[in-house]
Amino acid sequence: MDRIRITGGAPLNGSIPISGAKNAALPLMIASLLTDDTLELTNVPRLADIQALLRILGNHGVDHLVAGKRPGQTSETGQTIRLSARTIIDTTAPYELVSTMRASFWVIAPLVARLGEARVSMPGGCAIGTRPVDLLIMALERLGADIEIDRGYVVARAPKGLRGGEVIFPKVTVGGTHVALMAAVLANGTTVIENAAREPEIVDLAACLAKMGAKISGAGSKQVVVEGVPRLHGASHEVLPDRIETGTYAMAVAMTGGDVLLENTHPDLLRNALEVLGETGADVISTNEGIRIRRNGGGIAPVDVTTDPFPGFPTDLQAQFMALMTRAKGTSRIRETIFENRFMHVQELARLGAHIRLDGDAAVVEGVEKLKGAPVMATDLRASVSLVIAGLAAEGETTINRVYHLDRGFEALEAKLGRCGARIERIRG
Ligand code: UD1
């Protein structure tokens, strides 16, 4: 298994191109199942999760074509993928495929909406607490699907098609909102989604669905209204920038010091996290090309943070922020309200010398003068990258094992950090 070796202590200086968002690309690719025309997606990141989803879609009969490079494109230009779900040959998503990535469960919505049936394995994914699908199922039921749980599979049936309805989420769920949207666009009649997730990735999916002929209003607000249409057509859509990758590199610079321009991204995607970064003492400057992050000299101020659905502080940046706080001049409290078991990075950060105590749903981080490199183990996607950030700021050598988690969500991580002066390399094997 590959490892990443970092020799810490170097500040980051230069520019980092931000990739298309994994969490937008996945539902957009799944939306290709809604039409028998071709859906073209540009700015798709090169990630293991994208490859895994292509395999899952391929199993349903979706053809894909990854376009070759065009003049002027660099290795940092995202991929263009054309997806064609002209003929669906199989409405089952098997355990072997779905268990590798939780978001693949969402195929259930377009399959039942377009074909009247779907049989999808209960999902797997990052080990960050129980992540049920009860609300996703509830949404489908509200739109008229009959649901049966059969030997680890969720079977959804709507032989006469779905019908519009009211979906009220008792808790904000990104996946639930994606599923409700994809089911409602082909349902007969009007659907009202209440307490919808407001994440930018939801807005991006809604924008793409609208290009495909869907009638959606209110995406990005708590109430989304969908007027069902009989069929959708092909479209071309550019995946929005990855706000979690943006925030991750911003935190890396805030921790190591230096001056980095994060290109092809914009601050509206993560206002709250950027404000918090500013409070820690980093300069956050919006430019026409992206977001510039700078910290020179001054120390890191401790800031308390609570994760929340968008527009709050993202749970997907909690681990990275904790890494930053391990070197703060004082004590900070980080509360996790979205996932109950998302503190697995704590014990690994402690191996680097961090002082962190868990207190219910919060971590209390007492900043230390310095971290010291050590071998550590990646446990999930965001936790892994928090160890990279800590390693960049630690004295000496840090080796991160099990980096396949990183490959699921961070495109060209070593190259992007390396060109800004980080001493980071991948050891194959
Ligand atoms: C998505 C993101 C993930 C992010 C998370 C929260 C993708 C591919 N993944 O995951 O990176 O960390 O949003 O921003 O976009 N819940 C239920 N029942 C359900 C569904 C969810 O109780 O049926 C709970 C979850 O356990 C969790 C909360 O709702 O406590 C939010 O989860 P949700 O927003 O659905 O996360 P995902 O869509 O899986």
Side-chain angles (χ1 to χ4, degrees):
M1 256 183 277
D2 290 4
R3 287 173 294 155
I4 294 226
R5 184 161 60 202
I6 298 171
T7 308
L12 295 170
N13 284 293
S15 61
I16 297 180
I18 297 300
S19 299
K22 168 181 86 82
N23 284 356
L26 298 176
L28 289 166
M29 289 165 69
I30 290 173
S32 70
L33 288 166
L34 286 164
T35 174
D36 56 10
D37 284 350
T38 299
L39 177 64
E40 179 183 81
L41 298 175
T42 59
N43 200 31
V44 179
R46 292 174 179 80
L47 295 170
D49 271 8
I50 300 294
Q51 293 307 321
L53 184 57
L54 284 176
R55 276 195 297 280
I56 290 165
L57 293 175
N59 186 61
H60 294 300
V62 178
D63 285 331
H64 74 263
L65 184 99
V66 180
K69 288 230 172 79
R70 298 285 178 271
Q73 292 187 339
T74 65
S75 58
E76 281 136 15
T77 314
Q79 312 174 87
T80 294
I81 302 186
R82 294 190 190 94
L83 297 148
S84 165
R86 179 167 298 281
T87 316
I88 301 295
I89 50 161
D90 193 344
T91 53
T92 297
Y95 174 76
E96 307 77 72
L97 295 177
V98 178
S99 58
T100 61
M101 192 195 12
R102 186 182 154 78
S104 55
F105 182 81
W106 304 342
V107 298
I108 195 166
L111 287 175
V112 72
R114 185 170 144 209
L115 295 134
E117 63 168 51
R119 186 183 161 82
V120 180
S121 169
M122 308 283 262
C126 279
I128 49 171
T130 50
R131 294 176 78 177
V133 287
D134 55 323
L135 300 177
L136 283 64
I137 290 174
M138 178 277 288
L140 294 174
E141 281 179 327
R142 295 293 301 158
L143 299 182
D146 278 331
I147 303 284
E148 186 195 339
I149 309 291
D150 177 29
R151 287 165 292 168
Y153 281 74
V154 180
V155 186
R157 290 190 188 91
K160 295 192 185 124
L162 296 172
R163 49 175 159 71
E166 197 180 27
V167 180
I168 306 173
F169 286 113
K171 181 176 195 179
V172 176
T173 151
V174 173
T177 307
H178 282 315
V179 158
L181 265 177
M182 286 192 273
V185 287
L186 288 181
N188 187 10
T190 306
T191 297
V192 181
I193 306 170
E194 300 282 3
N195 199 23
R198 290 179 281 165
E199 270 64 6
E201 294 75 22
I202 301 283
V203 181
D204 208 37
L205 174 66
C208 178
L209 291 171
K211 287 181 197 162
M212 295 165 74
K215 296 202 171 111
I216 302 171
S217 59
S221 75
K222 283 191 167 186
Q223 190 193 60
V224 183
V225 180
V226 184
E227 213 58 70
V229 295
R231 77 175 287 276
L232 295 181
H233 50 73
S236 177
H237 185 78
E238 181 181 338
V239 178
L240 93 171
D242 196 317
R243 64 194 165 98
I244 303 305
E245 191 194 24
T246 306
T248 298
Y249 291 129
M251 285 179 199
V253 181
M255 190 161 186
T256 61
D259 188 344
V260 171
L261 176 67
L262 304 172
E263 297 168 324
N264 317 327
T265 184
H266 54 90
D268 286 344
L269 296 171
L270 68 173
R271 272 227 180 272
N272 181 301
L274 292 177
E275 274 165 26
V276 168
L277 264 189
E279 288 169 32
T280 69
D283 295 326
V284 179
I285 306 149
S286 297
T287 76
N288 285 342
E289 291 81 37
I291 306 169
R292 192 170 155 201
I293 308 287
R294 190 171 61 187
R295 189 174 70 78
N296 289 320
I300 301 166
V303 181
D304 293 346
V305 147
T306 298
T307 63
D308 261 319
F310 193 84
F313 190 94
T315 175
D316 286 350
L317 286 176
Q318 181 255 104
Q320 298 89 316
F321 186 69
M322 195 181 298
L324 173 61
M325 287 295 98
T326 62
R327 289 276 312 278
K329 288 190 179 337
T331 304
S332 58
R333 191 178 170 84
I334 301 174
R335 231 183 114 220
E336 171 60 58
T337 68
I338 311 287
F339 294 111
E340 75 269 29
N341 191 21
R342 207 171 209 186
F343 283 133
M344 270 117 49
H345 41 287
V346 167
Q347 62 187 34
E348 297 303 303
L349 288 170
R351 291 175 58 76
L352 301 174
H355 286 183
I356 307 170
R357 175 170 59 80
L358 289 182
D359 176 18
D361 66 356
V364 180
V365 189
E366 199 190 306
V368 293
E369 190 66 29
K370 60 180 170 201
L371 299 178
K372 281 195 183 154
V376 287
M377 183 122 78
T379 47
D380 76 49
L381 174 52
R382 314 302 177 185
S384 326
V385 85
S386 78
L387 297 172
V388 171
I389 295 179
L392 290 172
E395 225 173 49
E397 197 175 289
T398 296
T399 327
I400 300 159
N401 295 296
R402 291 205 196 161
V403 295
Y404 57 83
H405 289 295
L406 286 172
D407 297 334
R408 289 186 45 209
F410 288 89
E411 182 174 8
L413 177 99
E414 310 96 274
K416 288 186 182 187
L417 286 169
R419 61 187 254 180
C420 290
R423 288 165 295 190
I424 179 168
E425 63 181 324
R426 178 178 291 249
I427 307 162
R428 304 260 172 209

